[in-house]
Amino acid sequence: MIELRNIHFSYGDGFALKGFTLAVEKGSFNLLVGANGSGKTTLLKILAGLLPIRSGTIIIDGRIATDADLRELCCYVLHNPFEQIVGSTVEEDLAFGLENLGLRSEEIQENIETALKMFQLSEVRHANPFVLSGGLAQKLVIASLYLLKPEIFLLDEPTSMLDDTGVEELLQALRELKQLGKTIFVSTHEPKIFFGLATSVIHMSDGTIDFYGGIHEFLERRFEDVEC
Ligand SMILES: Nc1ncnc2c1ncn2[C@@H]1O[C@H](COP(=O)(O)OP(=O)(O)OP(=O)(O)O)[C@@H](O)[C@H]1O
Ligand SMILES: [Mg+2]
């Protein structure tokens, strides 16, 4: 179980999160929707351990999670994959985080092979990642993060730079993560794209949550600030 209890956060003036409370099951696929400025990105960054909470608690599997715990358990995927790629080939990018962890080179190679197969990147293994399509680049970012063994994937508007083929590539990667039992949060202004995979929808309004439930129930509510 992943629980956020009464989370407050401020960038300076006023509060971007005002008493946000939510509990989701591990392995759930949660869509985060709401108007511009409602606090979606802030919430994802807090879960990723990238922003300090002003007050409130995050509890994972019954234990209070520190920022350091969150940085280990969660990974944050930027909407622009090219800002998150570090290797000069696909293989190098996959190896980068593992090298930092000090894994032996045979172990790194095994991991790379697994990720290439799992995320269907074998054909581009020697390619320069910066010439890949947006969809393949997004998959590479997800694959590289996957190798660091996070439990929770946080994606911030992952389709905003993708064409239709790219969206298909992304969905393929997310399907894989879901099958592996990872918990997923996707902030999006295009929730429809994910309805086939999502297990719940979280609607945010002015720094708080005003709906959490299934897709059917969400659609019945007809929120004016979300296009479906
Ligand atoms: N770096 C920042 N400094 C100051 N205020 C910020 C900063 N980032 C966000 N905010 C403010 O915090 C509030 C929540 O913003 P946030 O980016 O989390 O919303 P969002 O739901 O992700 O919006 P969008 O749909 O446009 O991405 C807004 O009022 C925003 O102006
Ligand atoms: Mg945002």
Side-chain angles (χ1 to χ4, degrees), residues 133-152:
S133 67
L136 284 174
Q138 191 73 274
K139 273 210 302 200
L140 173 59
V141 169
I142 292 171
S144 293
L145 291 168
Y146 163 78
L147 290 180
L148 304 177
K149 300 189 172 26
E151 283 302 316
I152 303 169

Side-chain angles (χ1 to χ4, degrees), residues 92-191:
E92 264 182 36
D93 195 74
L94 290 167
F96 185 77
L98 302 175
E99 283 165 358
N100 283 344
L101 289 177
L103 263 65
R104 285 181 295 116
S105 62
E106 307 88 87
E107 269 181 284
I108 294 178
Q109 206 49 48
E110 271 171 34
N111 273 283
I112 289 176
E113 295 304 328
T114 305
L116 289 172
K117 227 180 261 157
M118 187 174 278
F119 295 99
Q120 299 176 29
L121 290 165
S122 298
E123 272 179 33
V124 292
R125 65 192 297 159
H126 302 299
N128 176 341
F130 294 95
V131 303
L132 295 179
S133 67
L136 284 174
Q138 191 73 274
K139 273 210 302 200
L140 173 59
V141 169
I142 292 171
S144 293
L145 291 168
Y146 163 78
L147 290 180
L148 304 177
K149 300 189 172 26
E151 283 302 316
I152 303 169
F153 283 75
L154 309 163
L155 293 93
D156 200 355
E157 303 203 27
T159 55
S160 59
M161 293 189 53
L162 302 183
D163 58 14
D164 288 350
T165 316
V167 167
E168 280 313 312
E169 309 260 23
L170 170 70
L171 291 175
Q172 192 184 73
L174 291 175
R175 206 170 292 127
E176 199 64 53
L177 294 178
K178 185 180 169 180
Q179 268 169 17
L180 290 161
K182 303 292 182 186
T183 308
I184 301 166
F185 288 85
V186 176
S187 153
T188 182
H189 288 284
E190 302 172 291

Side-chain angles (χ1 to χ4, degrees), residues 31-51:
L31 295 178
L32 197 52
V33 300
N36 293 117
S38 56
K40 303 180 297 296
T41 295
T42 306
L43 180 72
L44 292 181
K45 286 185 173 168
I46 286 209
L47 264 174
L50 301 173
L51 292 174

